[in-house]
Amino acid sequence: AIDIGTGAGFPGMVLAICNPTVYFTLMDSVGKKTKFLEWVKENLKLQNVEVINARAEDYIQISKRREYYDLGFCRGVSKLAVILEYMIPSTTGLLVTALYVIVDSIFIGRGIGQNALASLNIAYPIITVSSAISLMIGMGASTVMTLHAGKKRIRELSLSYVLFFNGFFYLFLIFLVFCFPKFLMELLGSTPEIDNMVKTYISFCSIGLIFLMISTGLNAAVRNLGSPRYAFFSMVMGALC
């Protein structure tokens, strides 16, 4: 996350203290303010804080962090269009995924009927849980890469772990879906009237989930490497697949 025009560190420094696993960049053009923030950082021994004395429009030209951050804060910095240019992350990919779900629901509800739409709602937690697991893995790898910035070995290991753990959880999910379908459907709240539809939807979606899981897991890590556009396209491809 980045706090542009942080001043005395509100809200960036406060959030960094409360969230030690999230990396914060505190930026301000006034040297006295950034010196104070450096003093706070050193005295509190904060490892997840970076203090930058620069103007956003100048810093973005000399760094590789355009569209780099997941979250941004600003107070009276500049026009909205200028702020967004520096702060927009690859959230468009997530919006594409959400749009895919909405369109899927519309087609199933109108084309097949209410039972099919009910089946989709019962089966969809499988996709949600898998995406959440992948996002957790990706954010963890991204945090490790940030804390060890510049260490190529750590970066390579983090990317490898993203792929490994996503593959592991995908295989575990496939095992549950195809070996214990009845137990899984009962757990999700399916009824005998729609069991066949739920089973069909879960089976087909589970096969293609690996693409969504990998794209979600790698999204944060790839963006952390300074390639937000690749992260965006990976999310789009994962949603389409």
Side-chain angles (χ1 to χ4, degrees):
I2 183 171
D3 185 3
I4 301 177
T6 184
F10 183 80
M13 183 64 78
V14 178
L15 293 173
I17 295 172
C18 297
N19 300 275
T21 60
V22 180
Y23 196 82
F24 286 84
T25 298
L26 309 182
M27 181 182 295
D28 202 286
S29 60
V30 181
K32 291 188 294 184
K33 296 177 181 179
T34 55
K35 287 181 181 179
F36 168 74
L37 294 174
E38 288 284 5
W39 178 82
V40 174
K41 172 185 174 182
E42 292 176 5
N43 280 271
L44 295 181
K45 298 181 180 180
L46 298 175
Q47 301 296 320
N48 62 324
V49 173
E50 175 188 27
V51 180
I52 296 176
N53 178 212
R55 295 184 63 83
E57 55 266 36
D58 297 329
Y59 179 73
I60 204 68
Q61 299 299 327
I62 60 176
S63 69
K64 296 181 179 179
R65 297 189 179 183
R66 184 183 296 271
E67 302 180 25
Y68 175 80
Y69 297 96
D70 296 305
L71 186 63
F73 305 93
C74 58
R75 292 179 290 116
V77 177
S78 181
K79 294 180 179 179
L80 182 60
V82 178
I83 296 172
L84 292 178
E85 181 183 3
Y86 305 136
M87 293 168 48
I88 291 179
S90 299
T91 52
T92 310
L94 293 174
L95 293 177
V96 171
T97 304
L99 183 62
Y100 163 77
V101 175
I102 295 172
V103 173
D104 194 22
S105 301
I106 292 173
F107 274 96
I108 290 178
R110 288 182 174 272
I112 304 178
Q114 294 181 352
N115 285 344
L117 190 58
S119 302
L120 170 63
N121 291 329
I122 290 174
Y124 199 77
I126 297 293
I127 301 176
T128 304
V129 170
S130 63
S131 298
I133 292 173
S134 299
L135 186 60
M136 175 187 68
I137 296 170
M139 291 301 293
S142 177
T143 302
V144 172
M145 292 166 63
T146 301
L147 294 176
H148 300 276
K151 297 182 180 180
K152 185 178 179 181
R153 179 61 176 168
I154 297 295
R155 182 179 64 192
E156 292 175 348
L157 284 174
S158 297
L159 293 175
S160 299
Y161 283 138
V162 170
L163 296 175
F164 171 79
F165 282 112
N166 271 289
F168 172 80
F169 281 109
Y170 172 73
L171 292 176
F172 178 72
L173 177 65
I174 289 294
F175 173 74
L176 287 179
V177 169
F178 289 98
C179 294
F180 302 98
K182 186 176 181 180
F183 166 76
L184 194 59
M185 288 188 293
E186 289 179 356
L187 183 66
L188 293 172
S190 179
T191 60
E193 293 80 7
I194 58 175
D195 274 350
N196 289 333
M197 288 185 177
V198 174
K199 183 178 180 181
T200 301
Y201 193 84
I202 290 179
S203 300
F204 278 101
C205 286
S206 298
I207 294 173
L209 266 183
I210 186 63
F211 300 104
L212 180 61
M213 292 180 70
I214 290 178
S215 65
T216 303
L218 287 177
N219 182 267
V222 171
R223 188 167 61 248
N224 206 331
L225 295 176
S227 303
R229 288 178 177 81
Y230 289 121
F232 162 71
F233 287 119
S234 72
M235 287 297 296
V236 172
M237 292 304 296
L240 294 178
C241 290

